[in-house]
Amino acid sequence: MPTYTKSESLFQEANQYIPGGVNSPVRAFKSVGRTPLYIDHGTDGHVFDVDGNEYIDFISSWGPLILGHANPLIQDAIRKEVEKGTSYGACNEHEVEMARMICNFFPSVDKVRMVNSGTEATMSAVRLARGFTGRDKIIKFDGCYHGHADMFLIKAGSGLATYGESGSAGVTKGTAEDTLVATYNDISSVKKLIQAFPHQIAAVILEPVMGNMGLIMPREGFLQELRELTSEHNILLIFDEVISGFRAAKGGVQELFGISPDLTCLGKIIGGGLPVGAFGGRADIMDHLSPNGRVYQAGTLSGNPLAMVAGIAMLRQLESPGFYDELEAVGARFEALVQEAIVPYGDKLSFNRCGSLCTLFFKSGGVICNDDAKKSDTNLYARYFQLMLDQGVYLPPSQFECMFLSAAHTDEDLQRTVEAMSTALAKVLA
């Protein structure tokens, strides 16, 4: 049985200086009823905590480490660049190459602007959509998470054709009133909002594959219907592919389903593990950004050379012939093992996968929307999480987060994980 003495001591000290002891809430492990781990280092598909415990890692830094930890080509690129300097507040050649590569990966993107986080990317994309259309309101979907900008911290109101309600203190009533909330996988909910607020909606923004209530797939035809509906009403369609970009497929969910959004938000993988974000889309929209247009957006560290070289080293490896076939094989292998392991439990569990993203829900009958996900038994998940951790498997510390597979996960990793899963489920669901 592993011990966590040093992690527990560090968390106690952290609480003296950091709100809640963490710099991002999910790290607090509150939903799984324990104190967080403090990670010392990672190698391939594994991480090691400060107490010396080793884990098979299915968080992958919440997505960017699709090649695993300490990838030698990414580390070498960072080492070479850091010898030159760390930041200039000026243009550098690497940001040009990164922009070209993103446009090649995502045909819907004619031009792209680099930023420093997924939140900054989505926030800026919405401002651009408002500036381009001259409209104020946006539609988001209940359960989709787009970062912590005020406009996104809105939950569903009392009815489909009503204003959203703030889900966080500090968000003004006016901001909430400009954010309308629809139901994922229910196109009628979007139609009702458009009818209720004609010629007022600038954009519809969504995770085309939901990744922040666990993994939830779009029903057949949903994304196509959304594309047609937004085009009909001159509303911009924004895909938040910060999580799904490069993971659902090489060109994200839009490649997988053949949909071209007007704007795309990216992050995670394009920084190779360093802080980064980006948003891009049609040239006529993007040219409304300053300095060409009147929509202002700026950032001292945007296009930071260290993040750019790390991301370029990452994307070059993803471009390798056969990479995505091999990654899909890892995902398919894991799915087959999981499905076999959960057979004894009938319909007590649901499993969703898309590319290298997946979630095991402690809920029967499948999960196709936020309301389904919220019916999951979070107490059972918390027990399951602890049992898996004690067996050396590091899962997301929340029922409502994706597992992230990587190309560095071996068949042995997958087999060991499912063996641990079988042991844990037998105890949790006995």
Side-chain angles (χ1 to χ4, degrees):
M1 179 72 68
T3 59
Y4 309 102
T5 305
K6 193 169 181 181
S7 279
E8 291 168 353
S9 176
L10 282 167
F11 186 57
Q12 289 178 2
E13 183 179 6
N15 271 284
Q16 299 178 46
Y17 308 108
I18 305 170
V22 294
N23 285 307
S24 188
V26 73
R27 298 179 195 171
F29 282 35
K30 278 192 172 183
S31 66
V32 290
R34 56 155 295 137
T35 56
L37 298 181
Y38 281 73
I39 302 302
D40 179 74
H41 67 283
T43 303
D44 298 326
H46 294 224
V47 289
F48 301 78
D49 69 17
V50 292
D51 288 285
N53 301 309
E54 179 178 357
Y55 309 91
I56 302 170
D57 177 28
F58 289 99
I59 294 180
S60 300
S61 190
W62 300 108
L65 304 185
I66 196 169
L67 300 174
H69 292 271
N71 178 266
L73 295 180
I74 295 174
Q75 288 187 307
D76 188 52
I78 295 171
R79 264 189 227 102
K80 289 179 179 177
E81 191 64 26
V82 79
E83 290 178 357
K84 301 178 183 178
T86 58
S87 180
Y88 313 113
C91 300
N92 66 84
E93 64 178 320
H94 307 302
E95 61 189 352
V96 181
E97 183 173 3
M98 171 60 76
R100 178 187 57 78
M101 295 181 82
I102 289 173
C103 292
N104 286 341
F105 270 85
F106 290 82
S108 70
V109 176
D110 298 325
K111 294 186 177 182
V112 62
R113 176 67 64 86
M114 302 306 303
V115 292
N116 297 291
S117 69
T119 292
E120 194 178 342
T122 54
M123 175 186 72
S124 301
V126 167
R127 181 187 302 154
L128 176 58
R130 285 172 166 154
F132 180 77
T133 62
R135 301 172 178 178
D136 293 336
K137 298 188 185 302
I138 64 167
I139 295 175
K140 69 177 288 288
F141 289 83
D142 191 22
C144 284
Y145 177 74
H146 306 292
H148 59 88
D150 286 2
M151 72 195 82
F152 300 130
L153 298 180
I154 307 297
K155 60 185 180 180
S158 58
L160 289 175
T162 65
Y163 300 113
E165 299 174 355
S166 172
S168 170
V171 177
T172 66
K173 182 179 179 181
T175 298
E177 288 180 348
D178 279 338
T179 304
L180 310 173
V181 184
T183 301
Y184 185 79
N185 271 333
D186 181 0
I187 197 66
S188 67
S189 69
V190 183
K191 291 179 179 178
K192 289 178 181 178
L193 290 172
I194 293 173
Q195 291 169 0
F197 301 95
H199 310 296
Q200 298 177 57
I201 299 167
V204 173
I205 184 170
L206 79 160
E207 296 177 281
V209 166
M210 286 181 66
N212 282 283
M213 282 301 293
L215 181 77
I216 303 176
M217 295 292 290
R219 67 163 178 77
E220 185 177 354
F222 173 67
L223 295 178
Q224 184 61 49
E225 291 170 345
L226 191 59
R227 173 67 283 182
E228 292 169 359
L229 184 63
T230 51
S231 295
E232 178 185 349
H233 293 275
N234 296 314
I235 296 168
L236 298 189
L237 180 61
I238 305 174
F239 273 11
D240 177 354
E241 297 226 46
V242 169
I243 287 179
S244 59
F246 307 96
R247 280 195 167 273
K250 181 179 179 181
V253 175
Q254 52 197 269
E255 175 188 301
L256 196 63
F257 289 92
I259 309 292
S260 291
D262 300 300
L263 293 171
T264 297
C265 301
L266 299 169
K268 307 289 188 184
I269 285 170
I270 60 172
L274 297 187
V276 77
F279 65 104
R282 286 169 26 201
D284 62 317
I285 301 172
M286 294 299 293
D287 281 339
H288 275 65
L289 284 172
S290 177
N292 289 357
R294 296 183 60 240
V295 178
Y296 193 74
Q297 183 279 326
T300 298
L301 293 175
S302 296
N304 174 269
L306 296 183
M308 294 299 95
V309 297
I312 290 166
M314 170 75 80
L315 295 184
R316 284 176 179 167
Q317 294 177 80
L318 303 193
E319 287 180 323
S320 300
F323 174 82
Y324 278 92
D325 291 336
E326 294 173 9
L327 186 64
E328 174 59 25
V330 172
R333 169 69 171 154
F334 187 62
E335 180 176 9
L337 290 170
V338 171
Q339 293 289 9
E340 183 179 353
I342 66 178
V343 165
Y345 306 103
D347 66 351
K348 293 181 180 179
L349 301 164
S350 301
F351 183 77
N352 290 349
R353 181 182 74 88
C354 180
S356 56
L357 303 166
C358 59
T359 301
L360 179 67
F361 292 96
F362 281 76
K363 180 200 173 291
S364 63
V367 176
I368 63 168
C369 65
N370 186 40
D371 284 344
D372 287 341
K374 288 191 292 188
K375 294 174 184 174
S376 300
D377 192 323
T378 54
N379 291 325
L380 288 182
Y381 183 85
R383 290 173 56 197
Y384 168 72
F385 171 87
Q386 182 65 65
L387 289 166
M388 292 294 280
L389 196 67
D390 289 344
Q391 295 178 88
V393 180
Y394 186 27
L395 299 177
S398 167
Q399 169 69 95
F400 307 117
E401 298 285 354
C402 285
M403 294 174 65
F404 294 90
L405 296 163
S406 80
H409 284 126
T410 64
D411 282 345
E412 181 183 357
D413 290 335
L414 303 183
Q415 189 64 51
R416 281 181 52 201
T417 298
V418 175
E419 289 171 0
M421 178 186 294
S422 297
T423 300
L425 291 176
K427 294 179 179 179
V428 169
L429 298 174

